[in-house]
Amino acid sequence: TKDDVLSAVVDQQVADLVGACVTTASSAGLVEALAHVAAVLGEHPALRKAADGEQQLLAPLLTPSSSRGWQLAREGVAAVLTAGGAPSSPADVDTVLRWATSQVLWPLSRDDARTGADALVRGLTVRTSAPATVPQQAVQSSGALGWPA
């Protein structure tokens, strides 16, 4: 059917984009890979045409589901994150997917996409650091309620 053909085309394009991004993340870094995703999704002629006049056609592409395309996208984002040395938990994957799919209806310029990708990558890597601890001062209990005198 026509839907099956469209689904196969989307699956192939997702696979192609994932392959390019894994290579880019491995060689040039995760920021460049995510900036590439934003450029591809933001400049894709068919997506631009649909976004400009037939947004309802994009709903299945932008609505997470258990479909093969979304499974490929999730697995692909995890592979790209891993190739770029970033955490790839389900929450990390979902965060990146939300950012990437936003490019379909609200694309960034190439410069803004790189800036956004950089912020996203910094956010992913910050929370994997050890939590900050506040050094505790020794409290002398010579004052009232344990406050220092």
Side-chain angles (χ1 to χ4, degrees):
T1 69
K2 186 165 80 170
D3 287 343
D4 293 334
V5 171
L6 179 59
S7 181
V9 168
V10 169
D11 291 355
Q12 186 58 54
Q13 291 199 350
V14 168
D16 292 346
L17 184 56
V18 166
C21 289
V22 165
T23 300
T24 301
S26 298
S27 62
L30 188 54
V31 170
E32 292 303 316
L34 294 178
H36 177 70
V37 168
V40 168
L41 295 177
E43 297 170 3
H44 192 284
L47 294 176
R48 294 284 40 86
K49 184 175 180 178
D52 289 340
E54 299 180 86
Q55 289 121 357
Q56 72 277 7
L57 295 176
L58 298 174
L61 299 176
L62 301 176
T63 306
S65 70
S66 59
S67 71
R68 176 82 179 129
W70 272 96
Q71 180 183 351
L72 289 172
R74 285 185 184 97
E75 292 169 359
V77 168
V80 171
L81 290 173
T82 300
S88 59
S89 72
D92 297 313
V93 169
D94 283 348
T95 299
V96 172
L97 272 173
R98 286 173 191 267
W99 182 82
T101 58
S102 74
Q103 306 308 308
V104 174
L105 291 177
W106 195 14
L108 295 166
S109 69
R110 285 184 179 258
D111 287 341
D112 288 343
R114 185 166 280 103
T115 300
D118 183 58
L120 181 60
V121 169
R122 281 186 282 121
L124 291 171
T125 57
V126 165
R127 43 182 208 83
T128 61
S129 303
T133 56
V134 178
Q136 295 186 358
Q137 296 178 345
V139 177
Q140 297 176 347
S141 61
S142 58
L145 300 174
W147 293 93

